[in-house]
C-alpha cells in the first residue's frame, strides 16, 4: 500500500521569496516519487521525479525536491517565487504492489500555491 | 511531437447511461493509465494497461472497464452512470508500465452526469 500526505492545503508567498511545499509519503516498497503541477484549466505537468538515484532532484522552472528516507519526506522548494508559479501542486508516489502489479500513481490532495505581488 | 490526446473534451450524460472515453498515447509509449479527478481533489487511479493487458486496477466498481488496442490507444467505459461519476477523466501514457516511468497526462475529458 502507498499513500501521500501534503501537509498544507494552501501556501501563500510573496513574489521573489522562497517556496516550500511539504510532502510525506508511505510505501511498502521502494517508491518512485514525483511532483506534478496543474495550472487552472490546464493539464497536469511533470515537474520532477525521484527514482533512487541522487536524493536532491532538480526539475523544471527552478524547482527542486529532496528525498529524505529517514523522514519519509519529499518536499518541493524554489528559491524565488514567480507570479507564473501560482497553481495546484501534487506530490505523487508510485510503487509495485505485493503481487508485482502496478498500483498506479497515488496523488496527494494538492497544495494551492498563491503568489502575492 | 503530439502529446497525449483525449476525446471528447466535454460530455454530458444522464444517470443510467453508458459512456466511452478515448485516449491516444504519445508515440512510442506502450502503457496507458486512467485517472478520475473530482473537483478540488487529486486524481485517483482507475486502470493501467500495458501491451493490451490490464496491469493494475484501482478501487473502482465493476461499472468501470477499459481496454487497450494494438496501436496502444485506449478506451474507458463506464456503465450505469451515477451523479457521482461527474469528474475530469485523465489519461496518461508512459514508455513502459513500471513505477519509475514518468506518466504524461492528456488534457482530460470533463464528464457531467445529470
Amino acid at each position: 500500500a502507498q499513500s501521500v500526505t501534503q501537509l498544507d492545503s494552501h501556501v501563500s508567498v510573496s513574489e521573489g521569496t522562497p517556496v516550500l511545499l511539504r510532502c510525506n509519503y508511505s510505501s511498502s516498497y521502494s517508491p518512485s516519487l514525483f511532483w506534478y503541477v496543474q495550472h487552472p484549466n490546464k493539464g497536469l505537468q511533470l515537474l520532477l521525479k525521484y527514482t533512487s538515484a541522487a536524493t536532491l532532484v532538480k526539475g523544471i522552472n527552478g524547482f527542486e525536491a529532496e528525498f529524505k528516507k529517514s523522514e519519509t519526506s519529499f518536499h518541493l522548494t524554489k528559491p524565488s517565487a514567480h507570479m507564473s508559479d501560482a497553481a495546484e501542486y501534487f506530490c505523487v508516489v508510485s510503487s509495485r504492489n505485493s503481487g508485482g502489479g502496478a498500483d498506479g500513481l497515488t496523488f496527494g490532495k494538492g497544495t494551492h500555491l498563491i503568489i502575492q505581488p | 511531437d503530439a502529446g497525449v490526446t483525449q476525446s471528447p473534451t466535454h460530455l454530458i450524460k444522464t444517470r443510467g447511461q453508458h459512456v466511452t472515453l478515448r485516449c491516444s498515447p504519445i508515440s512510442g509509449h506502450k502503457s496507458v493509465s486512467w485517472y478520475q479527478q473530482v473537483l478540488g481533489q487529486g486524481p485517483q487511479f482507475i486502470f493501467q494497461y500495458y501491451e493490451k493487458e490490464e496491469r493494475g486496477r484501482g478501487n473502482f466498481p465493476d461499472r468501470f472497464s477499459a481496454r487497450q488496442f494494438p496501436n496502444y490507444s485506449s478506451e474507458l467505459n463506464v456503465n450505469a452512470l451515477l451523479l457521482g461519476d461527474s469528474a475530469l477523466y485523465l489519461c496518461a501514457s508512459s514508455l513502459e508500465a513500471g513505477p519509475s516511468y514518468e506518466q504524461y497526462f492528456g488534457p482530460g475529458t470533463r464528464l457531467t452526469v445529470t
Side-chain angles (χ1 to χ4, degrees):
Chain A
Q2 58 193 26
S3 66
V4 173
T5 301
Q6 290 186 244
L7 299 168
D8 306 291
S9 60
H10 292 79
V11 168
S12 180
V13 302
S14 298
E15 190 175 19
T17 64
V19 174
L20 170 64
L21 305 183
R22 299 182 295 164
C23 171
N24 287 119
Y25 71 92
S26 172
S27 176
S28 302
Y29 298 88
S30 296
S32 296
L33 294 160
F34 307 83
W35 276 96
Y36 281 83
V37 61
Q38 190 172 37
H39 287 91
N41 299 316
K42 292 196 175 181
L44 284 157
Q45 182 183 21
L46 178 66
L47 279 178
L48 50 79
K49 75 170 187 179
Y50 165 79
T51 55
S52 75
T55 55
L56 184 62
V57 181
K58 293 188 183 300
I60 62 171
N61 301 333
F63 285 95
E64 60 182 39
E66 186 172 9
F67 173 72
K68 291 186 176 180
K69 186 175 181 179
S70 60
E71 299 176 11
T72 59
S73 69
F74 190 57
H75 301 334
L76 181 70
T77 61
K78 183 174 181 177
S80 176
H82 191 272
M83 294 300 291
S84 61
D85 294 328
E88 194 79 15
Y89 290 80
F90 293 99
C91 182
V92 180
V93 64
S94 177
S95 70
R96 296 194 185 281
N97 58 35
S98 58
D103 276 347
L105 300 180
T106 297
F107 283 72
K109 293 186 177 182
T111 297
H112 188 63
L113 178 62
I114 301 161
I115 311 296
Q116 306 281 2
Chain B
D1 284 342
V4 177
T5 59
Q6 293 185 243
S7 63
T9 305
H10 295 86
L11 205 51
I12 299 174
K13 291 286 189 177
T14 303
R15 276 177 298 175
Q17 286 187 319
H18 162 91
V19 69
T20 298
L21 310 180
R22 294 177 176 83
C23 171
S24 292
I26 292 171
S27 177
H29 284 196
K30 299 177 184 176
S31 180
V32 169
S33 299
W34 288 94
Y35 295 83
Q36 181 195 65
Q37 186 175 21
V38 174
L39 198 62
Q41 296 184 20
Q44 279 199 294
F45 172 63
I46 309 175
F47 287 110
Q48 184 179 59
Y49 274 79
Y50 175 70
E51 294 282 10
K52 297 179 290 180
E53 291 192 2
E54 182 182 305
R55 294 295 295 268
R57 184 186 186 111
N59 188 22
F60 279 81
D62 291 344
R63 299 185 296 108
F64 288 76
S65 64
R67 55 180 176 167
Q68 187 178 30
F69 299 100
N71 66 353
Y72 302 111
S73 67
S74 178
E75 282 182 357
L76 175 70
N77 295 284
V78 187
N79 291 324
L81 284 167
L82 303 174
L83 293 178
D85 294 332
S86 295
L88 181 67
Y89 288 85
L90 295 164
C91 173
S93 76
S94 55
L95 275 170
E96 304 283 338
S100 64
Y101 290 93
E102 52 264 43
Q103 296 188 18
Y104 295 91
F105 284 81
T109 294
R110 174 74 61 187
L111 173 64
T112 302
V113 182
T114 63

